[in-house]
Amino acid sequence: MKVKLETRLLGANELIAHNNRTIFSNQGVLVINLMSSPGSGKTTILEKTISRLKDQIKIAVIEGDLYTDQDAQRIEQQGVKVVQINTEGTCHLDAGMVSHACQELLADNPDLLVVENVGNLVCPAEFDLGEDLRAVVISVPEGNDKITKYPLVFQRADVILVNKMDLLPFTDFDVARVQKDIGLINPKTKIFFVSARNGDGLEEWSSWLLEQIHAKGRTKLM
Ligand code: MG
Ligand code: ZN
C-alpha cells in the first residue's frame, strides 16, 4: 500500500510540475532548482550570484526551509523579492508548493527565479518542480563520497557546483575522483569549482547562468 501511495503522490506532482513548466515557459523566466545537503553553501552562493547579476536582470527567489526564514532574510537584503516556504518538517519542496509561492513573484515578470530547496540530497531529487535547470552544490569538507552515495540527485543535475574550494588544502577532498565519479553517472553535466567565500569561480558560473537566462528569455519576445 505504501508503495502505491508514494507512486500516486509523485504522479500528482508530475501534473502540477508540467503545469508550472508551461507557465514558466510562457513567461520566459528561467527557473533553477537549487539543491544540496545542509551547510554546503546554497544561500551564500545565491547571495553572491544575485549581487553579481541583479543590475543586469530581474531576479526572484523562493526559499524552502523546514521552519525558519533566516535564509529568506539574507536574500531579501540583496534587494530581490523572496517568498518563504516553510515545509514544517517535510524534507523537500514539491511542485504544488512552488505553484503557490511563485504567483506574486511572477507578477513582477522576473528573468530568473531561483528555488532554494530544503537542504537534503535524497528526496528533493525525486520531485520535479517544473524547473528548467537542476543545480546541485557539494562542498569540499563534505568529502569525496557524496556522488556515489546519493547518485540520483547528481544524475539528474544540469549543473554541479563544488563549493568551498578555498578549504581544499585542509582536507583529503580529491578533485580528480569527484570529476571521475560525476563523469561516470552524468557526463553531460556542467561542473564549476567555486568558493562563495572568496569569490573564486563565481565569474564563470555567473556568465554561464546569464547565457542560460538570455536563451530562455528570448521566448518573452515571441
Ligand atoms: Mg540555505
Ligand atoms: Zn523529503
Side-chain angles (χ1 to χ4, degrees):
M1 285 307 277
K2 260 189 174 171
V3 174
K4 270 187 183 166
L5 181 65
E6 184 69 11
T7 311
R8 225 167 53 214
L9 279 173
L10 279 171
N13 188 74
E14 287 308 305
L15 284 176
I16 304 169
H18 178 77
N19 192 39
N20 286 352
R21 190 165 277 117
T22 306
I23 292 166
F24 300 151
S25 199
N26 289 340
Q27 284 229 355
V29 56
L30 186 91
V31 180
I32 296 189
N33 181 3
L34 183 59
M35 293 172 281
S36 80
S37 52
S40 50
K42 287 189 296 305
T43 311
T44 310
I45 288 175
L46 191 50
E47 283 175 316
K48 298 287 176 84
T49 306
I50 290 169
S51 101
R52 281 173 174 270
L53 296 181
K54 68 182 173 190
D55 293 337
Q56 300 166 67
I57 52 161
K58 190 181 264 185
I59 305 170
V61 176
I62 294 173
E63 274 293 332
D65 244 309
L66 296 172
Y67 304 106
T68 73
D69 66 351
Q70 292 166 21
D71 288 357
Q73 285 179 25
R74 284 170 60 187
I75 297 301
E76 222 156 35
Q77 281 170 10
Q78 293 296 320
V80 300
K81 261 206 168 172
V82 188
V83 168
Q84 174 74 49
I85 300 174
N86 280 136
T87 59
E88 306 295 335
T90 299
C91 51
H92 59 270
L93 296 180
D94 64 36
M97 297 176 195
V98 169
S99 165
H100 284 292
C102 73
Q103 310 224 346
E104 65 167 284
L105 294 174
L106 292 183
D108 272 0
N109 210 14
D111 304 295
L112 171 68
L113 171 62
V114 181
V115 182
E116 184 179 335
N117 217 311
V118 180
N120 176 1
L121 282 177
V122 188
C123 41
E126 294 176 28
F127 285 82
D128 184 6
L129 307 178
E131 72 275 8
D132 297 287
L133 294 175
R134 292 168 165 239
V136 182
V137 181
I138 50 166
S139 66
V140 163
E142 291 174 59
N144 293 312
D145 54 4
K146 282 280 157 70
I147 314 287
T148 44
K149 276 177 134 172
Y150 304 96
L152 186 67
V153 73
F154 295 103
Q155 241 162 27
R156 293 185 173 177
D158 299 291
V159 55
I160 295 172
L161 292 114
V162 182
N163 190 29
K164 307 190 189 180
M165 285 298 284
D166 52 305
L167 298 179
L168 201 57
F170 311 106
T171 68
D172 297 325
F173 191 83
D174 183 342
V175 171
R177 184 186 152 187
V178 164
Q179 271 174 316
K180 184 171 157 263
D181 288 344
I182 294 172
L184 286 172
I185 58 165
N186 187 355
K188 282 190 198 149
T189 194
K190 188 94 186 145
I191 308 174
F192 291 97
F193 293 93
V194 305
S195 165
R197 193 161 158 264
N198 69 18
D200 284 352
L202 293 182
E203 179 65 42
E204 292 81 354
W205 151 248
S206 302
S207 311
W208 180 83
L209 189 54
L210 212 50
E211 279 171 34
Q212 315 303 311
I213 294 161
H214 287 322
K216 178 88 190 258
R218 276 182 213 118
T219 60
K220 271 184 182 172
L221 306 169
M222 286 157 46

